[in-house]
Amino acid sequence: MIKALIFDFDGIIIDSESPELLAWQEVFAAYGRELDLDVWADLVGRPRNHFDLYSYFQEQIDPAADIAALRKERRARVIALTEQQPVLPGVHEYLRGACDLGLKIGMASSSSANHVRGHLQRLELFQYFHATKCFEDTEAHKPEPAPYRAVLDDLGIAADEAVAFEDSPNGVTSARAAGIFCVAVPNPVTCRLPLGHADHRLASLADEPLEQILARALAKSNS
């Protein structure tokens, strides 16, 4: 029996991946350069301390760059762009559907608690979640399984009783390593990345009813 849904935040609840990428692309474009998308692809779904893109920019583009000023300016740009992003299609329906079915709801994110919980509260979604694990809450991060295992522990359920929703290869790897049935729902940034290791793939949560996803997960756990 499936007892819980566990969501990633960035790219699943709102498309916060596109603002992050666009803000960096604007920085590189100001110098007549392009951000290598292979570099960016490796960062998606990982915590911010995995790779210092500011140091990379200083080393590769502008050794004299004022990193503190760049960080402040770019962060403001990302926040402004992110706050314009709507809740992605199907999210409300899945959350309400999970409540109607008596399922628990968790969040497993590599982003900071301020970012994740702040946006969930702003969007009036925080009340749906029984457990939220963010960067500060685990020692290991995606693609390691630790964030998902921490959510499972908080919810008091087994891995085969949950379904995860992820948008990145690193996130899918994390969920699958924790033994959870994982649905990949790529955003405009991650749709170009390899997601074949997910159990199922949707273009949007609005494309398939929650009950059908639960049936897929249950069928696999019983196979």
Side-chain angles (χ1 to χ4, degrees), residues 112-139:
S112 70
N114 284 341
H115 171 76
V116 173
R117 294 167 187 153
H119 279 296
L120 287 176
Q121 289 169 343
R122 178 181 64 82
L123 298 165
E124 299 183 349
L125 298 177
F126 188 72
Q127 71 274 13
Y128 285 105
F129 290 85
H130 300 92
T132 58
K133 293 298 180 182
C134 303
F135 171 78
E136 300 90 337
D137 299 318
T138 58
E139 292 185 2

PDB file of all heavy atoms in Angstrom, residues 112-139:
ATOM      1  N   SER A 112      18.153  25.361   0.668  1.00  0.00           N
ATOM      2  CA  SER A 112      18.108  25.773   2.068  1.00  0.00           C
ATOM      3  C   SER A 112      16.683  25.746   2.598  1.00  0.00           C
ATOM      4  O   SER A 112      15.706  25.877   1.856  1.00  0.00           O
ATOM      5  CB  SER A 112      18.670  27.189   2.220  1.00  0.00           C
ATOM      6  OG  SER A 112      17.779  28.141   1.653  1.00  0.00           O
ATOM      7  N   ALA A 113      16.577  25.619   3.917  1.00  0.00           N
ATOM      8  CA  ALA A 113      15.264  25.619   4.558  1.00  0.00           C
ATOM      9  C   ALA A 113      14.558  26.949   4.354  1.00  0.00           C
ATOM     10  O   ALA A 113      13.341  26.986   4.133  1.00  0.00           O
ATOM     11  CB  ALA A 113      15.421  25.316   6.042  1.00  0.00           C
ATOM     12  N   ASN A 114      15.297  28.050   4.411  1.00  0.00           N
ATOM     13  CA  ASN A 114      14.682  29.359   4.203  1.00  0.00           C
ATOM     14  C   ASN A 114      14.050  29.458   2.823  1.00  0.00           C
ATOM     15  O   ASN A 114      12.944  29.983   2.666  1.00  0.00           O
ATOM     16  CB  ASN A 114      15.714  30.477   4.378  1.00  0.00           C
ATOM     17  CG  ASN A 114      16.051  30.741   5.827  1.00  0.00           C
ATOM     18  OD1 ASN A 114      15.291  30.357   6.728  1.00  0.00           O
ATOM     19  ND2 ASN A 114      17.184  31.378   6.071  1.00  0.00           N
ATOM     20  N   HIS A 115      14.764  28.960   1.829  1.00  0.00           N
ATOM     21  CA  HIS A 115      14.264  28.983   0.452  1.00  0.00           C
ATOM     22  C   HIS A 115      13.012  28.120   0.316  1.00  0.00           C
ATOM     23  O   HIS A 115      11.970  28.591  -0.155  1.00  0.00           O
ATOM     24  CB  HIS A 115      15.355  28.496  -0.492  1.00  0.00           C
ATOM     25  CG  HIS A 115      14.920  28.277  -1.903  1.00  0.00           C
ATOM     26  ND1 HIS A 115      14.706  29.312  -2.796  1.00  0.00           N
ATOM     27  CD2 HIS A 115      14.649  27.127  -2.593  1.00  0.00           C
ATOM     28  CE1 HIS A 115      14.333  28.819  -3.965  1.00  0.00           C
ATOM     29  NE2 HIS A 115      14.293  27.500  -3.870  1.00  0.00           N
ATOM     30  N   VAL A 116      13.115  26.871   0.727  1.00  0.00           N
ATOM     31  CA  VAL A 116      12.026  25.914   0.518  1.00  0.00           C
ATOM     32  C   VAL A 116      10.809  26.267   1.362  1.00  0.00           C
ATOM     33  O   VAL A 116       9.693  26.430   0.838  1.00  0.00           O
ATOM     34  CB  VAL A 116      12.495  24.483   0.834  1.00  0.00           C
ATOM     35  CG1 VAL A 116      11.319  23.507   0.794  1.00  0.00           C
ATOM     36  CG2 VAL A 116      13.575  24.047  -0.140  1.00  0.00           C
ATOM     37  N   ARG A 117      11.003  26.379   2.668  1.00  0.00           N
ATOM     38  CA  ARG A 117       9.861  26.618   3.555  1.00  0.00           C
ATOM     39  C   ARG A 117       9.291  28.015   3.353  1.00  0.00           C
ATOM     40  O   ARG A 117       8.078  28.224   3.467  1.00  0.00           O
ATOM     41  CB  ARG A 117      10.276  26.373   4.997  1.00  0.00           C
ATOM     42  CG  ARG A 117      10.613  24.892   5.240  1.00  0.00           C
ATOM     43  CD  ARG A 117      11.321  24.623   6.543  1.00  0.00           C
ATOM     44  NE  ARG A 117      11.748  23.214   6.607  1.00  0.00           N
ATOM     45  CZ  ARG A 117      12.774  22.768   7.305  1.00  0.00           C
ATOM     46  NH1 ARG A 117      13.501  23.618   8.020  1.00  0.00           N
ATOM     47  NH2 ARG A 117      13.081  21.485   7.304  1.00  0.00           N
ATOM     48  N   GLY A 118      10.166  28.965   3.019  1.00  0.00           N
ATOM     49  CA  GLY A 118       9.697  30.319   2.757  1.00  0.00           C
ATOM     50  C   GLY A 118       8.763  30.370   1.558  1.00  0.00           C
ATOM     51  O   GLY A 118       7.688  30.985   1.619  1.00  0.00           O
ATOM     52  N   HIS A 119       9.155  29.703   0.469  1.00  0.00           N
ATOM     53  CA  HIS A 119       8.304  29.694  -0.718  1.00  0.00           C
ATOM     54  C   HIS A 119       7.033  28.880  -0.486  1.00  0.00           C
ATOM     55  O   HIS A 119       5.947  29.259  -0.958  1.00  0.00           O
ATOM     56  CB  HIS A 119       9.059  29.156  -1.926  1.00  0.00           C
ATOM     57  CG  HIS A 119       9.946  30.165  -2.582  1.00  0.00           C
ATOM     58  ND1 HIS A 119       9.465  31.305  -3.187  1.00  0.00           N
ATOM     59  CD2 HIS A 119      11.301  30.210  -2.729  1.00  0.00           C
ATOM     60  CE1 HIS A 119      10.460  32.011  -3.676  1.00  0.00           C
ATOM     61  NE2 HIS A 119      11.590  31.377  -3.414  1.00  0.00           N
ATOM     62  N   LEU A 120       7.141  27.765   0.233  1.00  0.00           N
ATOM     63  CA  LEU A 120       5.941  26.970   0.521  1.00  0.00           C
ATOM     64  C   LEU A 120       4.929  27.787   1.315  1.00  0.00           C
ATOM     65  O   LEU A 120       3.714  27.717   1.074  1.00  0.00           O
ATOM     66  CB  LEU A 120       6.311  25.703   1.292  1.00  0.00           C
ATOM     67  CG  LEU A 120       7.025  24.599   0.505  1.00  0.00           C
ATOM     68  CD1 LEU A 120       7.408  23.452   1.423  1.00  0.00           C
ATOM     69  CD2 LEU A 120       6.161  24.088  -0.649  1.00  0.00           C
ATOM     70  N   GLN A 121       5.408  28.572   2.268  1.00  0.00           N
ATOM     71  CA  GLN A 121       4.509  29.422   3.044  1.00  0.00           C
ATOM     72  C   GLN A 121       3.939  30.537   2.181  1.00  0.00           C
ATOM     73  O   GLN A 121       2.736  30.849   2.254  1.00  0.00           O
ATOM     74  CB  GLN A 121       5.254  29.982   4.257  1.00  0.00           C
ATOM     75  CG  GLN A 121       5.541  28.920   5.307  1.00  0.00           C
ATOM     76  CD  GLN A 121       6.492  29.389   6.393  1.00  0.00           C
ATOM     77  OE1 GLN A 121       7.198  30.383   6.237  1.00  0.00           O
ATOM     78  NE2 GLN A 121       6.524  28.670   7.511  1.00  0.00           N
ATOM     79  N   ARG A 122       4.772  31.139   1.332  1.00  0.00           N
ATOM     80  CA  ARG A 122       4.311  32.208   0.442  1.00  0.00           C
ATOM     81  C   ARG A 122       3.223  31.710  -0.494  1.00  0.00           C
ATOM     82  O   ARG A 122       2.250  32.418  -0.786  1.00  0.00           O
ATOM     83  CB  ARG A 122       5.499  32.753  -0.366  1.00  0.00           C
ATOM     84  CG  ARG A 122       5.135  33.843  -1.369  1.00  0.00           C
ATOM     85  CD  ARG A 122       6.366  34.308  -2.150  1.00  0.00           C
ATOM     86  NE  ARG A 122       6.939  33.277  -2.979  1.00  0.00           N
ATOM     87  CZ  ARG A 122       6.482  32.957  -4.199  1.00  0.00           C
ATOM     88  NH1 ARG A 122       5.434  33.594  -4.710  1.00  0.00           N
ATOM     89  NH2 ARG A 122       7.075  32.010  -4.905  1.00  0.00           N
ATOM     90  N   LEU A 123       3.379  30.481  -0.958  1.00  0.00           N
ATOM     91  CA  LEU A 123       2.435  29.889  -1.902  1.00  0.00           C
ATOM     92  C   LEU A 123       1.254  29.221  -1.205  1.00  0.00           C
ATOM     93  O   LEU A 123       0.394  28.645  -1.870  1.00  0.00           O
ATOM     94  CB  LEU A 123       3.164  28.860  -2.773  1.00  0.00           C
ATOM     95  CG  LEU A 123       4.293  29.413  -3.648  1.00  0.00           C
ATOM     96  CD1 LEU A 123       5.170  28.290  -4.164  1.00  0.00           C
ATOM     97  CD2 LEU A 123       3.733  30.233  -4.799  1.00  0.00           C
ATOM     98  N   GLU A 124       1.229  29.281   0.133  1.00  0.00           N
ATOM     99  CA  GLU A 124       0.169  28.676   0.946  1.00  0.00           C
ATOM    100  C   GLU A 124       0.074  27.168   0.730  1.00  0.00           C
ATOM    101  O   GLU A 124      -1.011  26.584   0.640  1.00  0.00           O
ATOM    102  CB  GLU A 124      -1.181  29.358   0.670  1.00  0.00           C
ATOM    103  CG  GLU A 124      -1.167  30.848   1.013  1.00  0.00           C
ATOM    104  CD  GLU A 124      -2.522  31.519   0.811  1.00  0.00           C
ATOM    105  OE1 GLU A 124      -3.418  30.892   0.207  1.00  0.00           O
ATOM    106  OE2 GLU A 124      -2.668  32.669   1.274  1.00  0.00           O
ATOM    107  N   LEU A 125       1.254  26.536   0.679  1.00  0.00           N
ATOM    108  CA  LEU A 125       1.336  25.092   0.497  1.00  0.00           C
ATOM    109  C   LEU A 125       1.967  24.383   1.695  1.00  0.00           C
ATOM    110  O   LEU A 125       1.902  23.154   1.785  1.00  0.00           O
ATOM    111  CB  LEU A 125       2.163  24.749  -0.755  1.00  0.00           C
ATOM    112  CG  LEU A 125       1.633  25.236  -2.100  1.00  0.00           C
ATOM    113  CD1 LEU A 125       2.614  24.855  -3.207  1.00  0.00           C
ATOM    114  CD2 LEU A 125       0.256  24.667  -2.394  1.00  0.00           C
ATOM    115  N   PHE A 126       2.567  25.123   2.586  1.00  0.00           N
ATOM    116  CA  PHE A 126       3.346  24.516   3.671  1.00  0.00           C
ATOM    117  C   PHE A 126       2.495  23.591   4.544  1.00  0.00           C
ATOM    118  O   PHE A 126       2.982  22.575   5.054  1.00  0.00           O
ATOM    119  CB  PHE A 126       3.991  25.605   4.530  1.00  0.00           C
ATOM    120  CG  PHE A 126       4.957  25.081   5.552  1.00  0.00           C
ATOM    121  CD1 PHE A 126       6.196  24.582   5.177  1.00  0.00           C
ATOM    122  CD2 PHE A 126       4.622  25.062   6.902  1.00  0.00           C
ATOM    123  CE1 PHE A 126       7.089  24.083   6.117  1.00  0.00           C
ATOM    124  CE2 PHE A 126       5.514  24.581   7.849  1.00  0.00           C
ATOM    125  CZ  PHE A 126       6.745  24.084   7.452  1.00  0.00           C
ATOM    126  N   GLN A 127       1.222  23.924   4.696  1.00  0.00           N
ATOM    127  CA  GLN A 127       0.356  23.153   5.585  1.00  0.00           C
ATOM    128  C   GLN A 127       0.125  21.736   5.096  1.00  0.00           C
ATOM    129  O   GLN A 127      -0.298  20.871   5.865  1.00  0.00           O
ATOM    130  CB  GLN A 127      -0.991  23.865   5.780  1.00  0.00           C
ATOM    131  CG  GLN A 127      -1.903  23.867   4.560  1.00  0.00           C
ATOM    132  CD  GLN A 127      -1.614  25.026   3.615  1.00  0.00           C
ATOM    133  OE1 GLN A 127      -0.594  25.703   3.731  1.00  0.00           O
ATOM    134  NE2 GLN A 127      -2.543  25.265   2.685  1.00  0.00           N
ATOM    135  N   TYR A 128       0.408  21.477   3.833  1.00  0.00           N
ATOM    136  CA  TYR A 128       0.211  20.131   3.300  1.00  0.00           C
ATOM    137  C   TYR A 128       1.294  19.150   3.758  1.00  0.00           C
ATOM    138  O   TYR A 128       1.078  17.936   3.728  1.00  0.00           O
ATOM    139  CB  TYR A 128       0.227  20.153   1.765  1.00  0.00           C
ATOM    140  CG  TYR A 128      -1.021  20.706   1.125  1.00  0.00           C
ATOM    141  CD1 TYR A 128      -1.032  21.973   0.553  1.00  0.00           C
ATOM    142  CD2 TYR A 128      -2.196  19.951   1.064  1.00  0.00           C
ATOM    143  CE1 TYR A 128      -2.176  22.480  -0.062  1.00  0.00           C
ATOM    144  CE2 TYR A 128      -3.347  20.451   0.457  1.00  0.00           C
ATOM    145  CZ  TYR A 128      -3.323  21.714  -0.105  1.00  0.00           C
ATOM    146  OH  TYR A 128      -4.457  22.215  -0.707  1.00  0.00           O
ATOM    147  N   PHE A 129       2.451  19.656   4.156  1.00  0.00           N
ATOM    148  CA  PHE A 129       3.617  18.794   4.343  1.00  0.00           C
ATOM    149  C   PHE A 129       3.787  18.338   5.798  1.00  0.00           C
ATOM    150  O   PHE A 129       3.833  19.150   6.713  1.00  0.00           O
ATOM    151  CB  PHE A 129       4.876  19.511   3.854  1.00  0.00           C
ATOM    152  CG  PHE A 129       4.906  19.670   2.357  1.00  0.00           C
ATOM    153  CD1 PHE A 129       4.275  20.743   1.746  1.00  0.00           C
ATOM    154  CD2 PHE A 129       5.509  18.713   1.569  1.00  0.00           C
ATOM    155  CE1 PHE A 129       4.265  20.874   0.364  1.00  0.00           C
ATOM    156  CE2 PHE A 129       5.508  18.826   0.186  1.00  0.00           C
ATOM    157  CZ  PHE A 129       4.876  19.901  -0.415  1.00  0.00           C
ATOM    158  N   HIS A 130       3.912  17.019   5.942  1.00  0.00           N
ATOM    159  CA  HIS A 130       4.123  16.428   7.263  1.00  0.00           C
ATOM    160  C   HIS A 130       5.604  16.365   7.627  1.00  0.00           C
ATOM    161  O   HIS A 130       5.944  16.242   8.804  1.00  0.00           O
ATOM    162  CB  HIS A 130       3.539  15.013   7.290  1.00  0.00           C
ATOM    163  CG  HIS A 130       2.075  14.957   7.008  1.00  0.00           C
ATOM    164  ND1 HIS A 130       1.563  14.775   5.738  1.00  0.00           N
ATOM    165  CD2 HIS A 130       1.001  15.081   7.831  1.00  0.00           C
ATOM    166  CE1 HIS A 130       0.234  14.767   5.785  1.00  0.00           C
ATOM    167  NE2 HIS A 130      -0.128  14.959   7.029  1.00  0.00           N
ATOM    168  N   ALA A 131       6.474  16.424   6.633  1.00  0.00           N
ATOM    169  CA  ALA A 131       7.926  16.392   6.872  1.00  0.00           C
ATOM    170  C   ALA A 131       8.621  17.134   5.746  1.00  0.00           C
ATOM    171  O   ALA A 131       8.282  16.940   4.574  1.00  0.00           O
ATOM    172  CB  ALA A 131       8.434  14.956   6.948  1.00  0.00           C
ATOM    173  N   THR A 132       9.579  17.988   6.103  1.00  0.00           N
ATOM    174  CA  THR A 132      10.388  18.679   5.094  1.00  0.00           C
ATOM    175  C   THR A 132      11.859  18.546   5.486  1.00  0.00           C
ATOM    176  O   THR A 132      12.244  18.911   6.592  1.00  0.00           O
ATOM    177  CB  THR A 132      10.024  20.180   4.976  1.00  0.00           C
ATOM    178  OG1 THR A 132      10.202  20.818   6.243  1.00  0.00           O
ATOM    179  CG2 THR A 132       8.594  20.367   4.512  1.00  0.00           C
ATOM    180  N   LYS A 133      12.651  18.011   4.591  1.00  0.00           N
ATOM    181  CA  LYS A 133      14.089  17.884   4.804  1.00  0.00           C
ATOM    182  C   LYS A 133      14.809  18.712   3.748  1.00  0.00           C
ATOM    183  O   LYS A 133      14.649  18.487   2.542  1.00  0.00           O
ATOM    184  CB  LYS A 133      14.524  16.415   4.716  1.00  0.00           C
ATOM    185  CG  LYS A 133      13.975  15.551   5.848  1.00  0.00           C
ATOM    186  CD  LYS A 133      14.469  16.012   7.207  1.00  0.00           C
ATOM    187  CE  LYS A 133      13.908  15.146   8.327  1.00  0.00           C
ATOM    188  NZ  LYS A 133      14.357  15.620   9.664  1.00  0.00           N
ATOM    189  N   CYS A 134      15.619  19.659   4.229  1.00  0.00           N
ATOM    190  CA  CYS A 134      16.335  20.574   3.353  1.00  0.00           C
ATOM    191  C   CYS A 134      17.839  20.399   3.565  1.00  0.00           C
ATOM    192  O   CYS A 134      18.272  19.494   4.288  1.00  0.00           O
ATOM    193  CB  CYS A 134      15.899  22.008   3.638  1.00  0.00           C
ATOM    194  SG  CYS A 134      14.100  22.242   3.463  1.00  0.00           S
ATOM    195  N   PHE A 135      18.629  21.269   2.947  1.00  0.00           N
ATOM    196  CA  PHE A 135      20.082  21.133   2.990  1.00  0.00           C
ATOM    197  C   PHE A 135      20.612  20.987   4.410  1.00  0.00           C
ATOM    198  O   PHE A 135      21.470  20.143   4.692  1.00  0.00           O
ATOM    199  CB  PHE A 135      20.736  22.346   2.320  1.00  0.00           C
ATOM    200  CG  PHE A 135      22.225  22.396   2.493  1.00  0.00           C
ATOM    201  CD1 PHE A 135      23.045  21.591   1.727  1.00  0.00           C
ATOM    202  CD2 PHE A 135      22.813  23.236   3.434  1.00  0.00           C
ATOM    203  CE1 PHE A 135      24.417  21.611   1.892  1.00  0.00           C
ATOM    204  CE2 PHE A 135      24.182  23.268   3.603  1.00  0.00           C
ATOM    205  CZ  PHE A 135      24.995  22.458   2.829  1.00  0.00           C
ATOM    206  N   GLU A 136      20.109  21.795   5.330  1.00  0.00           N
ATOM    207  CA  GLU A 136      20.628  21.810   6.695  1.00  0.00           C
ATOM    208  C   GLU A 136      20.261  20.570   7.505  1.00  0.00           C
ATOM    209  O   GLU A 136      20.836  20.333   8.572  1.00  0.00           O
ATOM    210  CB  GLU A 136      20.092  23.041   7.452  1.00  0.00           C
ATOM    211  CG  GLU A 136      20.464  24.368   6.829  1.00  0.00           C
ATOM    212  CD  GLU A 136      19.454  24.863   5.823  1.00  0.00           C
ATOM    213  OE1 GLU A 136      18.683  24.044   5.257  1.00  0.00           O
ATOM    214  OE2 GLU A 136      19.421  26.085   5.592  1.00  0.00           O
ATOM    215  N   ASP A 137      19.325  19.785   7.002  1.00  0.00           N
ATOM    216  CA  ASP A 137      18.753  18.712   7.811  1.00  0.00           C
ATOM    217  C   ASP A 137      19.445  17.364   7.664  1.00  0.00           C
ATOM    218  O   ASP A 137      19.147  16.432   8.417  1.00  0.00           O
ATOM    219  CB  ASP A 137      17.269  18.554   7.464  1.00  0.00           C
ATOM    220  CG  ASP A 137      16.479  19.822   7.748  1.00  0.00           C
ATOM    221  OD1 ASP A 137      16.726  20.438   8.808  1.00  0.00           O
ATOM    222  OD2 ASP A 137      15.634  20.202   6.915  1.00  0.00           O
ATOM    223  N   THR A 138      20.349  17.214   6.689  1.00  0.00           N
ATOM    224  CA  THR A 138      21.077  15.959   6.516  1.00  0.00           C
ATOM    225  C   THR A 138      22.548  16.249   6.240  1.00  0.00           C
ATOM    226  O   THR A 138      22.886  17.286   5.683  1.00  0.00           O
ATOM    227  CB  THR A 138      20.508  15.122   5.349  1.00  0.00           C
ATOM    228  OG1 THR A 138      20.572  15.889   4.143  1.00  0.00           O
ATOM    229  CG2 THR A 138      19.063  14.723   5.620  1.00  0.00           C
ATOM    230  N   GLU A 139      23.406  15.323   6.626  1.00  0.00           N
ATOM    231  CA  GLU A 139      24.842  15.500   6.387  1.00  0.00           C
ATOM    232  C   GLU A 139      25.210  15.190   4.937  1.00  0.00           C
ATOM    233  O   GLU A 139      26.094  15.823   4.371  1.00  0.00           O
ATOM    234  CB  GLU A 139      25.638  14.611   7.342  1.00  0.00           C
ATOM    235  CG  GLU A 139      25.527  15.032   8.810  1.00  0.00           C
ATOM    236  CD  GLU A 139      26.412  14.207   9.709  1.00  0.00           C
ATOM    237  OE1 GLU A 139      27.144  13.332   9.198  1.00  0.00           O
ATOM    238  OE2 GLU A 139      26.367  14.429  10.944  1.00  0.00           O
TER     239      GLU A 139
END
